[in-house]
Each structure stands twice: as structure tokens, then as C-alpha cells.
Amino acid sequence: MITIDDILAARPRIAPYVRSTPLERSRTLSAELGAHVYLKCELFQRTGSFKPRGAFNQLLALTPEERAGGVVGVSGGNYAQALADAGRTLGAPTTICMPDTAPRASVEATRAYGAAVELSPTFPEVFARAEALRAAGARLLHPFDDPHQMAGAGTLGLEIHEALPQVTDVVISIGGGGLFTGVTIALEALVAGIRVWGVETDGAHAMGAALEAGRVVPFTPTSLARTLSAPYVAEDALTVMRRHADRHVVVSDREAFEAARFLLERTKLNAELAASCTLAAVRRMRERFGPDDHVVLVICGGNVSLDDWGLYMRTFSPEA
């Protein structure tokens, strides 16, 4: 399990390579929810999501010789782009193994950031190819279940605390749990009584499945929130979530879509369902917040294409 010291050490290491993203108060959402509501706009991070924080931290933990030997990652989207960009920036030849079903925009962006992309028909074949590249000498870097990835992601929590010392609640989506783990550890060390809420969508609830089983279990995602679609949740993330299991929230894809449409129309943020689900969650549990609470929604990614919006509109139209 990482500590606040790991996160504090990661911050100066990655600072030359990542952005400190804005934290904005939303008057509209504050009025709607009866609390002070803020948006942590991490979709303005390099490559459009929080993932570069951990990707750079993982690569910077390697020696120059190890980076020169090449790295490999497995991803269907945001981590692919982040690791590709970090690899190009730090001189590490990068290969990303992706499924054939990965969004076209993600594949094209990953290649544009400088990585070689290898596509396979199924996830077992994707992982098998990544393992073959590791056996051939490349470093296999994990998208969420890695202490350096988690510590890098946790630097987002440091930024929230610095921008809003009076923060009482932070709402974060859970895919594999790296961001949730890092930010929770950072904020619990800095803010007495902080409440960190973990949100999933139905069909991408690997954490929910683990909580129900009492252990990490394999999971087959079906949600349209594809950047939440992890095949399991990290053991450390489950340990952290178990401390406050009542702060685990699952919303529907439709609720996440309606929240995403609101964010686009009212705040001009093109948020992924994996990010807008945080708004769907606070709307569902609005009675938990009061006028003295300062609630931060982590808008963790914005890699949404027109193709994605077309799919959402077809799926959630009145006739659907």
C-alpha cells in the first residue's frame, strides 16, 4: 500500500511533465444540490485524462537504460494515450496492446502520440501478446494496479487540498481503482474527516463485485463507460474502499449520460461517462450533503468522440 510520502515524492518528479488542472466552483450545481460544488477539471490534463500522472511516474522510476529497452502497456483507451505520450517524451520506445474493439479515436490518438499499437481479437490474446513482449525484454507497465501509477494519480489529491483546504467531500469514479486509491490516501492524510466517494456504473462495477464477494474477482464489463471497464479492481483499492463501504455508489449508464449531457450543455465540459458518473452519484445522494459542505467532483477524462456521442444518443433516445 502506498503512503502519503510516496505521493509527495511523486509530485516534484512528474511536475515538469503534467499540468496542474483547474478547480472551478459551479454555481448551477451548488444551487441544485444545496452545497458548494466544484469540478476538478482533469480532462484538461495531457492526453485528456488523469492517466499521465501515473504513466510518467512509472517511467521515471525506471533507469534510462531500462526506458531505452522499451515499455509495453495494455489499454483500451486513456492509459494507452498517456503511456504513448510519456514514452515519447522520455525516450522510451512504447508498444500498446489493445483489443480490436478499442475505439477508433483512441487507437489513432495512441499512434499519433508515437506508440506502436498491436491489436488482438480478444482480451486474453491482448494480455498474451503483452506478456510475450515482456518476456522479450520490454518493461510491462500496468494501467492501474501499480504503486507508482497510484502515487502519481494521488498527486491530484494534493492539488485539490491546496486549491480548496476546506474540502469535505471528493467524488471519484473507480475503474481499476488506481486513482481512487491514490487520491483517498492523499486526502485522508491531509484533511481530517474527509469523505471520498467511489463511483461505478452498472456493468463496470468491478469494485462492487469485489465488495460483494469479499475479495478481488474477475469481471467482464458491459457498461458504455468504457474507460471504467477494468477486468478486476486492484487489491489495494478494495482494501481502501472496505474502510468506508457505504461510500460506494453505482449509477446507471443512463444517469451518467444525462449528467454528461448536462456538463456539456451547461459547463461546456465534454466529459466521459467515466467522469460524469460522479455528478450522477451526487444527484442520487444529494441528501448526504448540506450548505456547509464543499464537494469536489473529479472530472477525470474527456476523450469522448462524436462516434461516442452518436452511440449515446441512439442508446438513450426516447424510442430506445
Side-chain angles (χ1 to χ4, degrees):
M1 181 74 71
I2 63 169
T3 69
I4 183 64
D5 290 335
D6 297 313
I7 298 167
L8 291 170
R11 190 175 194 186
R13 187 182 304 131
I14 66 174
Y17 307 104
V18 302
R19 298 169 184 157
S20 179
T21 53
L23 181 74
E24 301 287 347
R25 185 178 185 273
S26 170
R27 289 181 295 177
T28 301
L29 288 174
S30 297
E32 176 188 337
L33 297 168
H36 302 279
V37 179
Y38 307 79
L39 305 175
K40 176 60 171 171
C41 300
E42 188 66 7
L43 76 174
F44 297 141
Q45 187 56 258
R46 286 177 70 146
T47 74
S49 84
F50 73 95
K51 289 290 190 181
R53 295 176 184 267
F56 274 101
N57 201 39
Q58 284 199 76
L59 279 171
L60 289 165
L62 303 177
T63 67
E65 293 75 21
E66 288 170 335
R67 290 197 293 270
V71 298
V72 59
V74 173
S75 173
N78 286 342
Y79 181 66
Q81 297 175 58
L83 186 58
D85 177 49
R88 179 175 62 179
T89 301
L90 296 175
T94 303
T95 301
I96 305 295
C97 298
M98 307 178 79
D100 287 341
T101 55
R104 174 180 53 83
S106 294
V107 174
E108 292 176 354
T110 301
R111 287 178 172 143
Y113 285 123
V117 174
E118 296 200 11
L119 299 172
S120 299
T122 68
F123 262 112
E125 290 170 283
V126 169
F127 283 103
R129 180 55 184 155
E131 179 58 29
L133 292 169
R134 186 203 63 78
R139 292 280 175 152
L140 181 58
L141 303 183
H142 202 279
F144 59 86
D145 197 2
D146 175 90
H148 295 293
Q149 185 72 22
M150 291 179 178
T155 61
L156 188 150
L158 304 181
E159 291 180 14
I160 291 173
H161 175 251
E162 289 176 359
L164 189 70
Q166 67 271 37
V167 60
T168 60
D169 297 84
V170 176
V171 189
I172 310 173
S173 57
I174 301 174
L179 176 66
F180 170 78
T181 302
V183 171
T184 300
I185 289 171
L187 287 171
E188 286 186 345
L190 296 169
V191 183
I194 187 77
R195 298 187 296 184
V196 181
W197 306 82
V199 184
E200 297 181 297
T201 54
D202 189 25
H205 55 284
M207 177 65 81
L211 288 170
E212 183 176 357
R215 58 185 175 83
V216 173
V217 292
F219 187 82
T220 302
T222 58
S223 172
L224 290 179
R226 287 182 289 198
T227 49
L228 285 188
S229 297
Y232 68 93
V233 71
E235 186 73 47
D236 286 352
L238 177 59
T239 299
V240 171
M241 188 79 258
R242 273 175 156 169
R243 297 204 297 258
H244 302 287
D246 62 319
R247 298 178 192 164
H248 174 250
V249 185
V250 179
V251 301
S252 68
D253 278 0
R254 181 178 289 277
E255 288 173 291
F257 162 72
E258 290 170 351
R261 184 168 61 182
F262 175 91
L263 289 171
L264 182 62
E265 293 175 350
R266 298 300 297 273
T267 72
K268 314 312 172 190
L269 298 179
N270 189 28
E272 301 169 13
L273 299 187
S276 65
C277 65
T278 59
L279 173 55
V282 295
R283 282 175 161 171
R284 177 179 285 197
M285 56 183 186
R286 66 183 69 203
E287 72 281 355
R288 304 291 294 269
F289 309 112
D292 295 328
D293 290 324
H294 295 265
V295 184
V296 175
L297 311 184
V298 177
I299 308 302
C300 59
N303 288 315
V304 188
S305 69
L306 288 176
D307 290 343
D308 292 327
W309 275 109
L311 173 61
Y312 303 159
M313 296 300 291
R314 292 191 300 274
T315 302
F316 300 115
S317 68
E319 295 78 21

